[in-house]
Amino acid sequence: MRISNDRKRTERRGNRATTAPLADNSTDHDPALGLARNFGTAGLRTTLSWQVARTLFRIGFAGSLAVFAGRLIEDAAFDVIALSGALACLALSAAAGVLADLAAAGAEDVVVDRLRAALQDSLSRKSPVRIRTRPAGALVAGLQRYPGAVAGLVISHSVAKSMLAIGPTLAAVAVALVSWEAAITLFLAIPVMVIFFVLLGGVVRSRAEAQEKAFGRLAAQFSDRIRTLPTILANHALPREHGKIEARMTLYADSTMAVLKVAFLNAGIIDFFSAIAIAVLAVLLGLSHLGLMHVPGFSGLALWQSLFILIIAAEFFTPFRRYAEQYHVKAEGQAAAKELDWYLDDSGTAMTGADDAGAKPFTIDGAFDAADFPPAGLIAISGPSGAGKSTLLRMLAGIETPPPGFKPLLQVTAEGCDWISTDIYVPAGTLGEAIGWNRGGHERAVLQSAAAHVGLLDERLLPGGLDARIAEGGDNLSGGQRMRIGIARIMLSGGVVLADEPTAKLDPQTAKLVRQMLIDIAKRRLVIVATHDERLIEAAGRHHVLRVPSQDGQAVAA
């Protein structure tokens, strides 16, 4: 692609990004959770209010039903008022539950939408080199999946956590009005449940983090295999790649089941201890009514009071059961928030080639001045992954802001620059249109010569010559085909060639072809490559190594 046009598009994106700044109320340690909680504050309060109302109506239902059943059994009296109150409270409880669920769903949708907008805004301000540190598949899948998991944590789980204190308190107060001894009996079961929450919490959290990592690796691998499918088919490697993806899917399924197993175990433990507590109450109340034993607070109660205690006892443990059901939501949400913190990390945004103190984030071996570059030849730039090789190329091209004193090539050459890589932009249309894109008008014979030189006319997986159909974005192209289209493009111009990892992710035969083409072009023009390819480095007339300062300030190279 031509750098001048790409530079304009980059500047427009930067201008748009400044109009939508990231909210500044997130915490330093948990920016994703801070944003999500802020976005969900109003919805959380509404949902919690309806849940409290639902609990109160259920307590009212329990009291009315107990009075109705007690009078019906002891006095053979059909209490219409008590029955009507029970039915009314039941209906209101159901309505409050529906409204609470709707409020929770609406609040989570708001959190997801606003969180995605904040993430997209943050990504628009990150430097391309920072974004490329993550696989495209994992990046897109994370935007799709993680906001929903975080929304579930800040809404559904937060409501369940709040009701864990509010629900049992309301139920215990209602029981205490009849028998404070029974209320204390209910509270005795709480420490045991809390202990199991703590013990299982760490297990669920670690397994949820493993699940999210497995999901990210699966998404990245799937995206990469889809992009390189033509190459896979050409090399008859489909069965092998199918086996790899199937293994990843199995690993992700196993990690998901590992999370659910612990969550189900947690819920089962809650049900077990709540059943024991209710059974103890039922035995004490039953033996007291039969006159077989005398227990303070349980003897001398009317039948409706005993029934009320038993019904409310079930309501007392309901919040614990719901919290246990939401426990894996907490673990998944925390793991997702941890992953989203990368998206919101501003340390990789608006990369300028210098840190806050004005120092370069990397050092370069040898003199590196665009004004001193030869008119032709091959210059290789190497260094460890993430050292800034692509950033340096973008500085040379003028699409990254360079540090003071660094001159982009556009300031020292009138020929312009051409950028090539395995992910260059390819428009939908024909092969001829893809080669001639952004190059002005060229005769078909010129396009034919360029395509023939890079071996695209006799491409078995791209039949039709210059009329071969190209899908939008080049989705039906392999990395090698993209690279050869890029090389064919630069043959139509005479500027400096900037090649970003030109032989990466290519099969050996295609990499050899691309390497030789760049060497041939370097005999007539200046070619600057950022690469790990040792053979390409050996063929270069000049070699510069990027060194990244370590924690102790010493420069570290590849």
Side-chain angles (χ1 to χ4, degrees), residues 362-426:
F362 51 75
T363 59
I364 307 173
D365 283 357
F368 194 86
D369 190 341
D372 297 332
F373 288 165
L378 180 62
I379 299 177
I381 301 171
S382 67
S385 297
K389 297 185 295 297
S390 299
T391 300
L392 181 56
L393 287 187
R394 291 177 179 274
M395 289 179 185
L396 288 171
I399 57 176
E400 288 274 0
T401 304
F406 188 102
K407 290 185 178 181
L409 284 167
L410 291 176
Q411 296 181 13
V412 298
T413 178
E415 298 294 336
C417 302
D418 284 294
W419 182 287
I420 59 172
S421 65
T422 55
D423 57 356
I424 59 171
Y425 173 70
V426 181

Side-chain angles (χ1 to χ4, degrees), residues 308-367:
F308 178 74
I309 292 174
L310 291 177
I311 297 174
I312 292 297
E315 184 64 27
F316 179 90
F317 291 106
T318 297
F320 291 95
R321 188 177 298 108
R322 289 178 179 167
Y323 183 76
E325 293 170 354
Q326 294 287 330
Y327 213 64
H328 71 284
V329 174
K330 173 186 176 182
E332 292 175 356
Q334 288 177 334
K338 184 177 180 181
E339 295 293 327
L340 285 184
D341 287 344
W342 178 89
Y343 292 75
L344 298 172
D345 181 10
D346 287 337
S347 62
T349 62
M351 199 158 182
T352 63
D355 57 18
D356 294 337
K360 293 180 181 179
F362 51 75
T363 59
I364 307 173
D365 283 357

Side-chain angles (χ1 to χ4, degrees), residues 179-195:
S179 171
W180 63 268
E181 293 90 349
I184 293 177
T185 303
L186 291 174
F187 275 118
L188 291 177
I190 293 180
V192 178
M193 297 184 184
V194 172
I195 290 174

Side-chain angles (χ1 to χ4, degrees), residues 88-418:
C89 288
L90 181 62
L92 292 173
S93 173
V98 171
L99 292 173
D101 291 341
L102 292 176
E108 290 185 9
D109 287 342
V110 170
V111 172
V112 169
D113 291 341
R114 297 187 65 182
L115 192 54
R116 281 180 180 157
L119 294 172
Q120 291 170 1
D121 173 65
S122 179
L123 285 175
S124 70
R125 294 182 288 110
K126 281 187 184 295
S127 66
V129 68
R130 173 70 168 167
I131 293 177
R132 288 183 181 180
T133 59
R134 286 212 166 189
L139 193 70
V140 175
L143 285 173
Q144 179 66 27
R145 171 185 172 87
Y146 296 149
V150 175
L153 170 63
V154 301
I155 300 299
S156 296
H157 177 268
S158 294
V159 170
K161 184 177 180 180
S162 298
M163 290 304 299
L164 195 61
I166 298 173
T169 300
L170 293 176
V173 169
V175 170
L177 295 176
V178 175
S179 171
W180 63 268
E181 293 90 349
I184 293 177
T185 303
L186 291 174
F187 275 118
L188 291 177
I190 293 180
V192 178
M193 297 184 184
V194 172
I195 290 174
F196 277 96
F197 277 142
V198 173
L199 292 177
L200 296 178
V203 178
V204 175
R205 188 179 304 109
S206 62
R207 294 190 178 184
E209 290 178 356
Q211 177 194 23
E212 295 302 331
K213 291 180 180 178
F215 175 78
R217 288 192 292 265
L218 173 61
Q221 185 178 36
F222 185 77
S223 174
D224 182 70
R225 295 310 183 269
I226 291 296
R227 184 177 62 83
T228 59
L229 185 58
T231 302
I232 294 173
L233 293 173
N235 289 276
H236 306 288
L238 188 60
R240 182 184 63 187
E241 297 302 326
H242 177 270
K244 291 181 180 178
I245 292 181
E246 187 174 21
R248 290 282 191 193
M249 294 178 65
T250 301
L251 181 62
Y252 174 63
D254 291 343
S255 63
T256 301
M257 290 305 300
V259 174
L260 294 178
K261 285 178 181 178
V262 179
F264 291 151
L265 175 63
N266 200 14
I269 291 173
I270 297 301
D271 286 337
F272 174 75
F273 283 104
S274 62
I276 288 180
I278 294 173
V280 169
L281 288 176
V283 169
L284 294 176
L285 292 170
L287 293 177
S288 297
H289 277 282
L290 293 174
L292 298 178
M293 63 181 301
H294 177 77
V295 180
F298 293 90
S299 301
L301 296 177
L303 180 60
W304 74 268
Q305 292 176 316
S306 298
L307 293 175
F308 178 74
I309 292 174
L310 291 177
I311 297 174
I312 292 297
E315 184 64 27
F316 179 90
F317 291 106
T318 297
F320 291 95
R321 188 177 298 108
R322 289 178 179 167
Y323 183 76
E325 293 170 354
Q326 294 287 330
Y327 213 64
H328 71 284
V329 174
K330 173 186 176 182
E332 292 175 356
Q334 288 177 334
K338 184 177 180 181
E339 295 293 327
L340 285 184
D341 287 344
W342 178 89
Y343 292 75
L344 298 172
D345 181 10
D346 287 337
S347 62
T349 62
M351 199 158 182
T352 63
D355 57 18
D356 294 337
K360 293 180 181 179
F362 51 75
T363 59
I364 307 173
D365 283 357
F368 194 86
D369 190 341
D372 297 332
F373 288 165
L378 180 62
I379 299 177
I381 301 171
S382 67
S385 297
K389 297 185 295 297
S390 299
T391 300
L392 181 56
L393 287 187
R394 291 177 179 274
M395 289 179 185
L396 288 171
I399 57 176
E400 288 274 0
T401 304
F406 188 102
K407 290 185 178 181
L409 284 167
L410 291 176
Q411 296 181 13
V412 298
T413 178
E415 298 294 336
C417 302
D418 284 294

